[in-house]
Amino acid sequence: MKQEDLKNIANDCVLKIKNSSYNADPFQHIVIDDFLPKNLASDAMKSFPPLNDPYWEHSSDKGIEVKSRTTWKSEFDIPENIIDVIRIVNSSLILQAMSDALSIPKLMPDPYFAGGGLNVSETNGHLDVHVDGNYHDASGLNRRVNLLIYLNPNWKKEWGGEFGIYSNDGSDLIKEIPPLFNRCVIFDTHDKSFHGLPNPIKFPKEEPRKSIITYYYTKAKRAADNVVVKDPHSALWKSKGLLDKRGNKTRDFD
């Protein structure tokens, strides 16, 4: 896509972020429908590589997570069409709009795509209620914001797979956000922003649950009242008593 076209799309997305409905409880989040031009969202959806592609990592930790995600190391690993979406959501225009909407200044994208990229969940896929890791290994920056774009054009309620937002101790489901096609969810990630989809999904085999996920970081520390574990940690899972997959509360960080 031409440079000017991408800039115009980014500016349109900025307006959508500015005009979106802001939610503060139980943690900051915004939901935006028809986020991208429909043709770009469709092209991105069709450009997901097959799950036998070497860039996929498959997790099968029953009770914790069953899903597939890409293992990009740089933007040069990203498929055509999808790279246009990534350039848009990682642009300074979008970064500033998210900063303003969530009052989190000086957001930076992740050129290493540590954990970010494409996500696919097939039938029986799930993701336990959890809070995300808090540090970025490559830079030492603090993780602050997640952006998700869902690409499920024929989604039906009986398929499940709604994005669950939970109370600040992870015990109660507060809201479910259906993973509708071209819906964008942006939220403040910290030690009390519990989220997940713990119930196994029932998406048909030919239409797995698809999303694009990007993470954003700042030098500034999280607000003290949103910090439970001060030291660097990986995702902490509700069903594991708020420990990571290895049974640890914290992890090594250089």
Side-chain angles (χ1 to χ4, degrees):
M1 189 173 288
K2 293 181 179 179
Q3 190 94 340
E4 192 63 27
D5 293 334
L6 292 176
K7 184 177 180 181
N8 289 337
I9 293 170
N11 279 320
D12 186 55
C13 291
V14 166
L15 291 176
K16 291 176 181 178
I17 292 172
K18 288 181 176 179
N19 294 326
S20 63
S21 177
Y22 169 83
N23 302 272
D25 296 320
F27 52 85
Q28 294 190 101
H29 64 280
I30 56 180
V31 180
I32 308 164
D33 287 332
D34 302 315
F35 185 63
L36 298 168
K38 185 176 180 179
N39 64 321
L40 177 57
S42 294
D43 288 344
M45 177 189 67
K46 295 172 185 175
S47 297
F48 271 52
L51 289 178
N52 59 2
D53 186 279
Y55 283 115
W56 287 105
E57 174 185 80
H58 308 287
S59 298
S60 185
D61 299 296
K62 291 185 178 180
I64 301 296
E65 63 175 349
V66 176
K67 67 173 188 177
S68 298
R69 70 179 183 184
T70 47
T71 56
W72 300 335
K73 302 302 181 185
S74 76
E75 64 182 72
F76 305 113
D77 298 333
I78 303 175
E80 188 177 356
N81 297 316
I82 296 172
I83 185 61
D84 289 336
V85 176
I86 298 300
R87 290 186 66 194
I88 290 166
V89 298
N90 280 354
S91 71
S92 62
L93 305 177
I94 301 295
L95 298 179
Q96 188 60 57
M98 292 191 297
S99 288
D100 293 342
L102 300 176
S103 298
I104 302 175
K106 301 181 180 180
L107 288 173
M108 299 296 291
D110 176 17
Y112 299 88
F113 299 98
L118 307 181
N119 269 242
V120 168
S121 297
E122 299 183 284
T123 299
N124 293 321
H126 59 270
L127 186 67
D128 183 41
V129 178
H130 67 287
V131 295
D132 293 321
N134 57 353
Y135 281 90
H136 186 237
D137 284 350
S139 66
L141 296 176
N142 298 290
R143 182 164 164 188
R144 298 300 304 277
V145 175
N146 290 5
L147 179 149
L148 303 84
I149 300 174
Y150 293 108
L151 299 172
N152 306 296
N154 300 311
W155 181 81
K156 294 178 175 59
K157 175 71 175 176
E158 57 265 30
W159 294 4
E162 294 94 339
F163 177 73
I165 289 178
Y166 290 77
S167 57
N168 62 16
D169 63 357
S171 60
D172 297 314
L173 176 64
I174 304 299
K175 179 190 290 188
E176 288 185 315
I177 301 173
L180 301 180
F181 179 75
N182 207 12
R183 169 171 282 177
C184 177
V185 178
I186 301 170
F187 67 95
D188 180 1
T189 178
H190 51 68
D191 288 349
K192 296 181 180 178
S193 59
F194 284 89
H195 57 282
L197 45 134
N199 298 317
I201 65 172
K202 298 178 182 179
F203 277 58
K205 183 176 178 60
E206 65 276 10
E207 289 192 54
R209 184 181 186 275
K210 292 183 177 181
S211 59
I212 300 173
I213 301 178
T214 49
Y215 303 144
Y216 303 92
Y217 302 82
T218 65
K219 181 179 179 181
K221 295 181 179 179
R222 296 168 169 179
D225 59 354
N226 287 332
V227 175
V228 175
V229 181
K230 184 177 179 181
D231 292 330
H233 64 77
S234 301
L236 302 177
W237 305 90
K238 180 67 175 174
S239 66
K240 290 185 71 69
L242 301 185
L243 300 177
D244 66 20
K245 286 185 177 181
R246 302 170 194 82
N248 300 319
K249 182 71 74 174
T250 63
R251 63 178 175 81
D252 292 334
F253 174 76
D254 295 323

